[in-house]
Amino acid sequence: MIVMKFGGSSVANAQRIKHVSSIIQSYAAQKPIVVLSAMGDTTDHLLEAAERAVNGTVDMSRIETLHRSTAEELGIQTDEIEPLLAELKTLLTGISMLRELTKRSRDYLVSFGERMSVRLMAAWLNTQSVPARACDAWDIGFVSDSRFMSAELLDSVWQAIPAALAPYTAGSDNRIPIVTGFIAKDTNGYITTLGRGGSDLTATMIGAAVRADEVQTWKDVDGILTADPRIVPDARTVPEVTYDEAAELAYFGAQVLHPRSMAPCRKTGTPVRVKNSYNMSFAGSVIVEHHTGPCGPVRAITSVQRICVIDIVSTRMLGASGFLAHIFNQFLKWDISVDMVATSEVSVSLTVKTDKDLSGLLEDLSRVAEVRCKENKAIVTVICDVSHSSTLLAKGFAALAEAGVNVQMISQGASKVNISMVCDNSEAAHVVQTLHTAFFA
Ligand code: ASP
Ligand code: MG
């Protein structure tokens, strides 16, 4: 038994749906459970439609057109998606009248993307004589807490999912379940979402709970690469990474898997394989608990662009206790997460993403210290075995010195698998290329 997950771009149009269905069919003997995202950028389009509704306009034409024309192109009935489109219109109308959008309504609203994509795929498979059944995640045991927009699954899912899927896994129902990624319901029955990109978690949760042989996440590149191929054209596939390494990779910018999604499979030791839908026979990359064979010290090099470095300097910190606690409390208060930290006796430097307004935080910090915020920076991360850190640092920095790049802050994660450094955003690609050449050429 395997779990196969396909993201939005893999099911973006009729042609891609057909292609994915042929991949699913070729794995029929392994009894796949399939997890899908919403078609293409539907989640974004739903959010845009919501924004417009808040401003008084109900317009879901893009979403309607995409789903109806895809059904038409596939030659399948739209009777399963029409009720959803109608419900969505009612919801948008309600939002346009109230002129407000709560997190709960937003989750209800974006859920339509996944609910429609699984219905189209199941209908198409059925026309191909491949028995399939569309399943909403809550019908197969997905219950979460009520933290709308980034809900956590409850522990009960570990029993509920295998119980709900038993007919399929035991073979009494021969249909292939096509499950909505990303969504769940809370114990009150309200629809929740697991956070953007959450379909990966749906897939790994199912795979772990039913003790699948493997969870496959299908992309359009050859698995996990040693660097972003747009930056390093000759980046190559990393055949094997550990859960730790994969989590750091995802966290530090590689488009691998949602960082949170590794947790369930890691509990059960279920391998997660990243495969290329355009190169089916290629093994891709597999994520496992421990390396199964010898491998070089560096796995990959990633970058996160447009981050901001906050330098906090205070002589009050000298020998005093509780200063860092106070500093971090301000980040908690403003709900701003820190990615990298470096400290000295009188200063601490931290990096944050720039998707949130930092002004309140900076004002609070300025009350106790001298604060400087440096924008347009990037973090470049070397995912590696840090037991070799001295050699790696020497090699990496020699290459960077030769390339004339100055790194402004460095930290070695306690997770023992990453060395991160900050540079100017404009130099990030150059740093990644230089390090890639140093470690992989
Ligand atoms: N459709 C959702 C999103 O775009 C979930 C996913 O793709 O994993 O974030
Ligand atoms: Mg998506």
Side-chain angles (χ1 to χ4, degrees):
M1 195 177 16
I2 58 169
V3 175
M4 306 175 80
K5 183 252 161 177
F6 298 91
S9 64
S10 299
V11 290
N13 54 42
Q15 204 192 343
R16 302 229 54 192
I17 289 177
K18 287 182 183 172
H19 180 60
V20 164
S21 92
S22 70
I23 299 177
I24 296 170
Q25 284 183 59
S26 68
Y27 280 88
Q30 295 187 48
K31 301 183 79 263
I33 297 166
V34 176
V35 174
L36 298 185
S37 294
M39 291 179 71
D41 295 326
T42 297
T43 306
D44 292 324
H45 296 159
L46 283 163
L47 290 169
E48 283 158 25
E51 285 309 313
R52 282 197 297 274
V54 171
N55 293 317
T57 311
V58 176
D59 176 10
M60 47 179 272
S61 49
R62 241 169 134 170
I63 297 153
E64 268 171 333
T65 311
L66 173 69
H67 291 85
R68 289 207 182 108
S69 68
T70 302
E72 191 178 334
E73 216 177 314
L74 292 170
I76 55 178
Q77 300 295 323
T78 55
D79 47 348
E80 280 206 73
I81 58 166
E82 287 305 336
L84 291 172
L85 287 169
E87 191 182 335
L88 175 60
K89 182 152 278 167
T90 309
L91 174 60
L92 286 170
T93 308
I95 294 169
S96 75
M97 289 164 80
L98 293 170
R99 301 276 177 122
E100 75 171 7
L101 181 66
T102 60
K103 286 186 172 184
R104 189 170 87 192
S105 329
R106 191 188 296 244
D107 276 0
Y108 174 24
L109 183 118
V110 291
S111 74
F112 287 92
E114 271 70 12
R115 289 154 83 190
M116 292 195 285
S117 73
V118 295
R119 282 163 175 80
L120 289 176
M121 179 65 80
W124 166 252
L125 281 165
N126 283 320
T127 65
Q128 302 305 293
S129 312
V130 180
R133 170 161 189 226
C135 304
D136 291 323
W138 45 81
D139 290 330
I140 62 148
F142 277 79
V143 185
S144 73
D145 62 15
S146 306
R147 287 188 26 206
F148 297 100
M149 295 173 67
S150 59
E152 300 270 353
L153 296 170
L154 302 188
D155 280 341
S156 60
V157 302
W158 285 92
Q159 283 82 46
I161 294 170
L165 290 173
Y168 308 100
T169 53
S172 60
D173 191 328
N174 71 345
R175 290 175 295 180
I176 297 176
I178 314 289
V179 183
T180 54
F182 180 48
I183 56 180
K185 275 187 182 172
D186 71 5
T187 50
N188 298 314
Y190 290 117
I191 295 175
T192 59
T193 63
L194 309 176
R196 293 304 304 266
S199 301
D200 286 334
L201 178 60
T202 308
T204 53
M205 189 61 239
I206 295 175
V210 306
R211 303 296 195 269
D213 298 318
E214 183 169 285
V215 174
Q216 300 175 342
T217 66
W218 289 79
K219 314 255 158 189
D220 43 21
V221 288
D222 275 336
I224 298 172
L225 302 178
T226 49
D228 182 335
R230 287 165 302 185
I231 299 176
V232 180
D234 59 349
R236 32 190 129 106
T237 302
V238 191
E240 186 183 81
V241 301
T242 63
Y243 295 119
D244 278 335
E245 292 164 349
E248 295 284 332
L249 270 162
Y251 199 70
F252 286 105
Q255 305 274 305
V256 191
L257 282 186
H258 191 283
R260 265 180 22 191
S261 66
M262 233 65 68
C265 284
R266 152 174 236 165
K267 247 187 205 159
T268 51
T270 310
V272 179
R273 193 175 287 278
V274 184
K275 294 205 33 116
N276 186 354
S277 62
Y278 290 112
N279 189 6
M280 258 183 78
S281 58
F282 185 69
S285 306
V286 66
I287 309 170
V288 291
E289 180 69 51
H290 300 291
H291 282 291
T292 54
C295 50
V298 177
R299 224 62 66 225
I301 296 154
T302 63
S303 58
V304 184
Q305 312 228 342
R306 279 172 297 280
I307 57 118
C308 167
V309 175
I310 303 179
D311 286 334
I312 302 162
V313 186
S314 170
T315 42
R316 280 198 239 170
M317 199 167 154
L318 203 67
S321 63
F323 185 77
L324 283 179
H326 179 78
I327 297 293
F328 282 109
N329 263 322
Q330 307 312 307
F331 285 83
L332 175 67
K333 172 178 166 194
W334 293 96
D335 189 24
I336 288 166
S337 96
V338 172
D339 294 321
M340 245 176 98
V341 187
T343 62
S344 76
E345 184 54 34
V346 293
S347 74
V348 50
S349 298
L350 314 125
T351 69
V352 296
K353 301 203 171 70
T354 39
D355 50 355
K356 280 195 179 162
D357 179 14
L358 300 175
S359 51
L361 169 75
L362 295 175
E363 207 183 306
D364 276 352
L365 292 172
S366 310
R367 294 209 180 93
V368 294
E370 198 182 302
V371 180
R372 242 175 321 151
C373 179
K374 297 184 281 192
E375 288 173 11
N376 282 319
K377 301 291 172 187
I379 301 179
V380 174
T381 299
V382 181
I383 309 290
C384 59
D385 177 351
V386 292
S387 60
H388 298 94
S389 66
S390 304
T391 334
L392 293 178
L393 285 168
K395 194 169 182 183
F397 282 98
L400 290 173
E402 198 171 313
V405 198
N406 244 339
V407 166
Q408 299 154 22
M409 170 173 164
I410 95 160
S411 96
Q412 180 176 314
S415 63
K416 310 267 189 292
V417 296
N418 91 54
I419 297 172
S420 289
M421 52 201 97
V422 171
C423 62
D424 285 339
N425 201 64
S426 56
E427 286 188 320
H430 189 206
V431 170
V432 171
Q433 286 154 355
T434 305
L435 292 174
H436 195 271
T437 310
F439 293 129
F440 292 104

